[in-house]
């Protein structure tokens, strides 16, 4: 069986490595092969960008060579896919090469869409890219006082990031001894301060305790960069001195261009993780249209189910596992404490008070990621 994985981020790398181990005998016997096509020879640990934005990590700490993370039997090429010819079981890459497959796994991730909002790219800092995170840190260092506003577009990857960056801003200015000179205002698009109800319930009293102001039902319409005002579709205006944005995301352009899903989100069976109408095409991570958080954690749990099912199809001709919507997110509640949210399709998270041990667990996970993405954890 020819297995083709497109995308070498969290989801694609875990699927490929997990399959390589499960199918080692079949690969040795030339009964199965795994090819991975990606857009980069480097792999970024994206959650580390939050720490770069506060000067706590250097950008080069976030990268490893992609090839070094892969089992040696995986045939890896940096050659992005340009065309998906799903009905003919093949893809065409930028270099013009055609790859035929029996099973395809799409793991191309997502991208920020700041440019959809007039003024947002020029007017706001965002830590969702390496350059953006470094620039944000420089702006924070130069900031001596005034109003910092946070705005959020939906959907976006890492739904926890808006509250994490807000808590981190509080601790950052406190550590610099200027918290009393800084007003922090959090703006959120729906009618509570977080999309996950129990996260909203937990974060609200924390915001109150830290003197963080918030406005709900605030969907950004435009940013007036000259006058430093962000306007919402609901008609309100927020004056800022420093604006921080968690922008709306789409799936990758290649998904949109090949009509695989609106806004780049591929219609995906929520239990089997196959593309709707295509039993030999699996979808993992951010690019699914599933009603779960777009996180590395969801990508990881999905990847394990996909690898288990592809391997069982090779071995016994049928899938054996289903994805239950599992997500496990650490939540940094500032610079020295954290909590977590563990949930699935049926069971909402039950948040505990933040503590130092969870923060250190998260700091350890930042290093353990490299073991985890190799499919060993
Ligand atoms: C600031 C920030 C903080 C975050 N914090 C957390 C957190 O605390 N916890 C958590 O669980 N998650 C967090 N995330 C989210 C997490 O990083 C993503 O959800 C996760 O990486 C998604 O995995 P993925 O495999 O779907 O996509 P990605 O990891 O983004 O990988 C996509 C891959 O596809 C490749 N690709 C793109 N186009 C093509 C193409 N045409 N052909 C071939 N390959 C292609 C890319 O090169 C890349 O290798 C955070 C993200 C950010 C930005």
């Amino acid at each position: 069986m020819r297995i083709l994985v497109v995308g070498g981020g969290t989801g694609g790398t875990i699927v490929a490595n997990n399959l390589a181990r499960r199918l080692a005998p079949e690969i040795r016997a030339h009964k199965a092969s795994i090819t991975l096509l990606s857009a980069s020879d480097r792999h970024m640990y994206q959650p580390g960008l939050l720490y770069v934005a506060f000067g706590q990590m250097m950008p080069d700490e976030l990268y490893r060579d992609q090839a070094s993370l892969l089992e040696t039997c995986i045939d890896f090429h940096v050659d992005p896919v340009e065309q998906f010819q799903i009905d003919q079981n093949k893809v065409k890459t930028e270099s013009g090469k055609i790859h035929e497959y029996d099973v395809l796994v799409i793991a191309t991730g997502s991208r920020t869409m700041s440019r959809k909002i007039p003024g947002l790219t020029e007017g706001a800092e965002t830590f969702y890219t390496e350059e953006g995170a470094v620039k944000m840190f420089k702006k924070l260092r130069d900031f001596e006082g005034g109003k910092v506003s946070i705005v959020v577009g939906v959907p976006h990857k890492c739904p926890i990031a808006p509250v994490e960056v807000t808590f981190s801003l509080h601790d950052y200015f406190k550590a610099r001894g200027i918290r009393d000179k800084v007003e922090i205002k959090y703006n959120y698009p729906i009618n509570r301060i977080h999309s996950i109800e129990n996260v909203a319930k937990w974060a609200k009293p924390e915001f109150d305790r830290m003197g963080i102001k918030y406005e709900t039902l605030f969907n950004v319409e435009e940013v007036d960069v000259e006058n430093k005002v962000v306007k919402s579709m609901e008609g309100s205006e927020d004056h800022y001195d420093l604006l921080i944005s968690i922008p709306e995301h789409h799936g990758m352009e290649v998904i949109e261009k090949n009509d695989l899903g609106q806004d780049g989100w591929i219609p995906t069976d929520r239990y089997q993780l196959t593309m709707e109408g295509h039993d030999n095409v699996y979808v993992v991570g951010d690019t699914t249209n599933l009603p779960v958080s777009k996180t590395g954690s969801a990508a990881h749990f999905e990847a394990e189910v996909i690898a288990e099912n592809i391997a069982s199809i090779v071995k016994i001709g049928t899938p054996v596992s289903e994805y239950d919507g599992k997500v496990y997110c650490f939540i940094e509640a500032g610079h020295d404490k954290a909590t977590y949210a563990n949930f699935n399709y049926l069971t909402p998270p039950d948040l505990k008070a933040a503590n130092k041990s969870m923060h250190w667990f998260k700091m350890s996970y930042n290093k353990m990621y490299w073991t985890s993405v190799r499919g060993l954890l």
Side-chain angles (χ1 to χ4, degrees):
M1 180 181 285
R2 294 161 301 174
I3 302 158
L4 178 64
V5 181
V6 177
T10 305
T13 304
I14 297 175
V15 169
N17 279 327
N18 194 316
L19 271 172
R21 273 192 292 281
R22 287 177 187 272
L23 293 178
E26 289 81 1
I27 292 169
R28 275 198 298 274
H30 303 288
K31 289 185 181 148
S33 66
I34 305 169
T35 302
L36 174 64
L37 301 176
S38 197
S40 171
D41 62 353
R42 296 201 302 166
H43 188 118
M44 184 202 249
Y45 175 58
Q46 299 172 32
L49 290 169
L50 180 68
Y51 303 91
V52 173
F54 288 92
Q56 296 168 318
M57 268 192 186
M58 288 295 107
D60 59 3
E61 290 178 72
L62 309 185
Y63 291 98
R64 294 278 190 282
D65 284 339
Q66 176 65 13
S68 74
L69 301 171
L70 296 172
E71 292 288 324
T72 49
C73 64
I74 297 167
D75 184 24
F76 169 55
H77 303 273
V78 179
D79 192 7
V81 169
E82 232 174 40
Q83 282 175 28
F84 288 90
Q85 297 165 7
I86 300 273
D87 293 328
Q88 295 165 49
N89 288 351
K90 58 189 183 192
V91 303
K92 190 174 173 204
T93 64
E94 256 178 43
S95 73
K97 205 158 178 241
I98 306 275
H99 290 264
E100 295 187 8
Y101 58 79
D102 299 303
V103 173
L104 174 67
V105 180
I106 306 179
T108 43
S110 59
R111 63 197 163 121
T112 56
M113 298 299 291
S114 299
R115 65 187 148 83
K116 276 179 88 174
I117 307 281
L120 191 63
T121 309
E122 307 79 34
E125 305 307 315
T126 181
F127 52 97
Y128 271 62
T129 61
E130 178 187 330
E131 304 72 42
V134 170
K135 182 164 161 275
M136 176 169 148
F137 177 60
K138 289 179 180 164
K139 289 273 179 183
L140 287 177
R141 267 188 62 96
D142 291 344
F143 201 72
E144 295 298 339
K147 183 170 169 194
V148 181
S149 290
I150 297 113
V151 287
V152 181
V154 280
H156 59 263
K157 65 180 153 191
C158 193
I160 299 299
V163 290
E164 286 187 309
V165 75
T166 304
F167 289 132
S168 294
L169 285 165
H170 170 84
D171 275 7
Y172 173 79
F173 291 122
K174 208 168 103 187
R176 279 185 52 198
I178 59 166
R179 179 65 183 93
D180 56 338
K181 296 196 182 107
V182 181
E183 180 184 343
I184 301 177
K185 165 94 187 296
Y186 173 95
N187 299 296
Y188 202 71
I190 62 166
N191 64 351
R192 56 176 186 248
I193 65 167
H194 199 268
S195 55
I196 303 168
E197 195 172 353
N198 284 348
V199 172
K201 278 188 189 151
W202 164 80
K204 199 162 174 281
E206 292 293 302
F207 277 13
D208 290 338
R209 190 174 59 76
M210 295 176 187
I212 294 164
K213 297 187 176 141
Y214 41 83
E215 182 172 339
T216 55
L217 291 173
F218 192 104
N219 286 278
V220 182
E221 185 164 55
E222 68 167 298
V223 179
D224 176 348
V225 181
E226 209 178 307
N227 295 306
K228 297 197 164 195
V229 180
V230 55
K231 298 176 183 173
S232 78
M233 290 173 192
E234 290 79 4
S236 58
E237 296 193 345
D238 191 22
H239 293 256
Y240 63 85
D241 296 299
L242 181 64
L243 184 63
I244 292 173
S245 147
I246 289 95
E248 178 187 342
H249 281 57
H250 279 192
M252 298 309 278
E253 207 174 351
V254 66
I255 304 299
E256 291 193 68
K257 277 192 175 157
N258 282 271
D259 286 331
L260 298 189
Q262 200 187 339
D263 294 344
W265 311 126
I266 303 175
T268 306
D269 183 285
R270 58 198 272 155
Y271 302 111
Q272 291 300 319
L273 302 174
T274 45
M275 180 176 173
E276 277 175 19
H278 300 273
D279 285 350
N280 69 333
V281 181
Y282 289 84
V283 194
V284 59
D286 290 354
T287 197
T288 69
N289 74 338
L290 295 179
V292 293
S293 304
K294 296 193 182 299
T295 58
S297 151
H300 186 144
F301 294 122
E302 291 164 7
E304 287 180 343
V305 171
I306 291 173
E308 193 177 356
N309 281 346
I310 296 175
S312 68
I313 288 169
V314 170
K315 288 172 194 289
I316 62 167
T318 180
V320 289
S321 187
E322 288 193 338
Y323 178 58
D324 64 358
K326 185 172 169 68
V327 181
Y328 181 103
C329 284
F330 291 100
I331 307 177
E332 291 279 31
H335 284 167
D336 66 353
K337 55 188 186 341
T339 181
Y340 66 95
N342 185 17
F343 51 107
N344 62 27
Y345 288 139
L346 298 176
T347 316
D350 174 21
L351 270 78
K352 309 279 186 295
N355 60 49
K356 283 185 196 284
S357 325
M358 276 317 284
H359 168 69
W360 286 109
F361 189 11
K362 168 75 187 203
M363 297 306 276
S364 312
Y365 182 79
N366 291 339
K367 307 283 177 209
M368 283 167 357
Y369 174 77
W370 302 113
T371 310
S372 156
V373 85
R374 294 184 63 211
L376 296 170
L377 199 70

